[in-house]
Amino acid sequence: YSEVEEAYAVKAGREIRVILNPKQSKDDDVTVLATKIRDKIQDKLTYPGTVTVNVIRETRSQAIAK
């Protein structure tokens, strides 16, 4: 997906973390993309138990005054 900046499989593949580029995505894209990835995992993979998909979109800002 074009708005994905990074993706990681953690906890022995039981959790997928997807980090979106905030400039290329909107807040609504988080839920839509998590559902798309979940559906793709359910359709194409065989696995015991569950796989959690976490999609993260955040903007950080920091200013330091001295």
Side-chain angles (χ1 to χ4, degrees):
Y1 301 100
S2 62
E3 61 270 8
V4 173
E5 192 170 290
E6 299 175 29
Y8 302 99
V10 293
K11 296 183 183 177
R14 296 289 179 202
E15 180 179 342
I16 308 297
R17 290 187 189 159
V18 180
I19 300 172
L20 299 182
N21 184 338
K23 294 178 183 175
Q24 294 180 349
S25 60
K26 298 178 263 182
D27 287 339
D28 296 340
D29 293 342
V30 174
T31 305
V32 172
L33 189 60
T35 304
K36 284 182 183 179
I37 293 170
R38 180 206 61 195
D39 293 343
K40 197 168 203 177
I41 290 171
Q42 286 178 342
D43 292 343
K44 297 194 177 204
L45 299 175
T46 302
Y47 51 90
T50 61
V51 176
T52 303
V53 179
N54 289 311
V55 178
I56 303 165
R57 177 187 183 269
E58 66 181 8
T59 303
R60 295 183 186 190
S61 177
Q62 181 178 20
I64 299 173
K66 291 186 178 186

